[in-house]
Amino acid sequence: SYIGIEVTEVRKTEYEYNETFDQHSITVIIKRLSGQYLTLSPSMYTVSGFDSSLEGEIEVTVSFNDFQDSFYVTILPYEGFNITMPYYESAEGLTGDELFLELRSIVNTGKKYVSYDAARYILDDSDADPNIPGNVILVYLGTSVSGTWDAGATWNREHVWPQSLLGYDTTMSADLHNLKPSNPSENSSKGNSYFDNISVIKISYEPRDEVKGDIARILLYMWTMYASLSLVDEAPSIYEMALLSVLLEWHVIDPVDDFERNRNEVIYSYQNNRNPYIDYPEFVELIWE
């Protein structure tokens, strides 16, 4: 008895460069042969074709089962961005190496040392499951488990930049931005592998798609924070991690989300420094592209 869907209202027709699509800006109905209709909730249909990295008018398609309808929005020209957070005000207008070095100065200024032991009782806050109180989300598997520390039986503290490639430096190894709750077995399998789009035992490791950008931004932060570190495009040696080109791709395909933003705030409350690539993803393009 259903004959099609229709986008009956588009309340937001203009988007800024890299702005996220507003699911609640459109009204979608499904029509019956009788003339009656039902309004669909955003969870009932999919939206495709929206790409806010493109300038000008673009066609966006809404799909529900075998039915489709389209509408148009305009992506406004990219004109850079203004830094609104006082924390980064000294980086305004900088690009390339100048921006990179200024961010290094910013994230080092006022940073507090938090011990690796203390992370056992912080990661359950920074990586808390927003839907299940008391649980944490494990970085590589994405599963939700009890956040209560039990000597690493349920989850352990994963060094995204492997501890051995940090030279077991106690300061770098304890940096909360680099630590994530992980399944002990999966953490062991990943070992000291570098990150790539394919997993090869004891060489490279591909995480789940949902955290590829998270991992990229953590490693970019570590390179920015510590002058002794660098990201490379080959198998890394001590004080190196890889693959830079892949990480830059992951930063784009997996944008910053609310989970990352909350984690950044929690870590800031303990360590008194921030991951700039979460607060301003645009910094990555201004430095490396």
Side-chain angles (χ1 to χ4, degrees), residues 99-120:
L99 175 57
F100 180 76
L101 293 176
E102 183 57 32
L103 291 178
R104 174 170 290 165
S105 174
I106 290 170
V107 297
N108 273 276
T109 300
K111 176 188 176 287
K112 297 178 181 177
Y113 173 75
V114 178
S115 72
Y116 181 59
D117 285 344
R120 297 174 297 181

Side-chain angles (χ1 to χ4, degrees), residues 68-270:
Q68 290 186 336
D69 193 21
S70 298
F71 61 98
Y72 290 87
V73 297
T74 299
I75 309 300
L76 300 175
Y78 178 62
E79 297 179 351
F81 71 102
N82 295 319
I83 293 176
T84 58
M85 294 180 65
Y87 185 79
Y88 300 105
E89 61 184 1
S90 62
E92 182 74 56
L94 301 181
T95 60
D97 288 344
E98 287 187 343
L99 175 57
F100 180 76
L101 293 176
E102 183 57 32
L103 291 178
R104 174 170 290 165
S105 174
I106 290 170
V107 297
N108 273 276
T109 300
K111 176 188 176 287
K112 297 178 181 177
Y113 173 75
V114 178
S115 72
Y116 181 59
D117 285 344
R120 297 174 297 181
Y121 308 106
I122 296 175
L123 294 181
D124 63 325
D125 186 10
S126 65
D127 290 72
D129 185 336
N131 299 313
I132 305 178
N135 275 24
V136 295
I137 301 294
L138 303 184
V139 58
Y140 298 132
L141 298 184
T143 48
S144 178
V145 301
S146 171
T148 301
W149 179 254
D150 56 3
T154 302
W155 59 271
N156 59 14
R157 295 156 289 175
E158 156 71 341
H159 292 84
V160 178
W161 193 302
Q163 193 172 18
S164 65
L165 297 179
L166 295 173
Y168 295 97
D169 179 277
T170 55
T171 298
M172 292 191 290
S173 295
D175 195 309
L176 293 171
H177 288 287
N178 188 50
L179 298 175
K180 298 281 284 182
S182 178
N183 173 272
S185 176
E186 186 70 13
N187 194 8
S188 178
S189 297
K190 182 257 181 184
N192 298 330
S193 301
Y194 61 82
F195 293 101
D196 198 357
N197 285 315
I198 185 173
S199 291
V200 179
I201 296 174
K202 296 185 178 180
I203 297 176
S204 63
Y205 182 83
E206 181 183 16
R208 58 192 177 100
D209 290 346
E210 293 81 1
V211 296
K212 285 180 174 177
D214 308 48
I215 286 167
R217 287 178 281 275
I218 287 171
L219 296 180
L220 290 172
Y221 158 84
M222 290 292 286
W223 186 13
T224 304
M225 177 70 197
Y226 301 104
S228 59
L229 302 181
S230 60
L231 291 171
V232 297
D233 256 331
E234 58 190 6
S237 300
I238 190 170
Y239 302 126
E240 295 179 342
M241 191 52 180
L243 294 167
L244 174 59
S245 58
V246 171
L247 297 171
L248 293 176
E249 291 174 3
W250 289 358
H251 168 72
V252 174
I253 65 174
D254 177 31
V256 176
D257 57 24
D258 288 341
F259 188 89
E260 271 185 283
R261 294 187 187 96
N262 179 71
R263 172 178 157 85
N264 203 21
E265 295 296 338
V266 171
I267 292 175
Y268 178 62
S269 72
Y270 286 96

